[in-house]
Amino acid sequence: REAAARPNGQSSTANLVDLATDRLGVELDESQRSTASTAAHWALGIVPGALYGALRHRVPGLGAANGLLFGALVFATNDEYLNAALGLSGPPDAYPASTHVRGLVGHLALGMTVDTVCDVLGA
């Protein structure tokens, strides 16, 4: 069911790379496309993580629950809303519950990890 819900049979990051290359008029071979998709996935974690580090002590409640709130917000915004709104994924109800649970747990782990790294770095 998860595979059937994916537009073009691809992950949301692969669809993002396709969208970007089409808009920019850039052509990538399969190896470059795979690398760009991996880079996009990492950037989608790094950029919000950096913003979190910069804002967690400035925005009341943002650092709540040691990054769990941040992780939940990234999940809800990215996985549950933006991907579908931009056509990078199918609608949320097209995916099985296990997909949503796996995504939420992964983003909660991301949030806690980012919060821990910020603590270690004194950010």
Side-chain angles (χ1 to χ4, degrees), residues 37-81:
S37 182
T38 300
H41 189 230
W42 279 87
L44 290 169
I46 292 169
V47 171
L51 288 171
Y52 174 78
L55 298 175
R56 74 181 180 137
H57 293 303
R58 292 178 176 90
V59 176
L62 184 61
N66 298 325
L68 289 174
L69 177 62
F70 165 71
L73 288 171
V74 172
F75 166 75
T77 302
N78 190 41
D79 285 19
E80 297 297 307
Y81 176 70

Side-chain angles (χ1 to χ4, degrees), residues 8-73:
N8 307 314
Q10 302 184 123
S11 69
S12 58
T13 53
N15 285 319
L16 178 61
V17 168
D18 286 349
L19 178 66
T21 56
D22 287 347
R23 296 263 170 102
L24 296 171
V26 176
E27 290 189 32
L28 302 176
D29 64 32
E30 283 308 310
S31 175
Q32 292 168 323
R33 189 171 299 282
S34 176
T35 300
S37 182
T38 300
H41 189 230
W42 279 87
L44 290 169
I46 292 169
V47 171
L51 288 171
Y52 174 78
L55 298 175
R56 74 181 180 137
H57 293 303
R58 292 178 176 90
V59 176
L62 184 61
N66 298 325
L68 289 174
L69 177 62
F70 165 71
L73 288 171

Side-chain angles (χ1 to χ4, degrees), residues 43-44 57 101 109 111 116 118 122:
L44 290 169
H57 293 303
V101 170
T116 300
C118 287

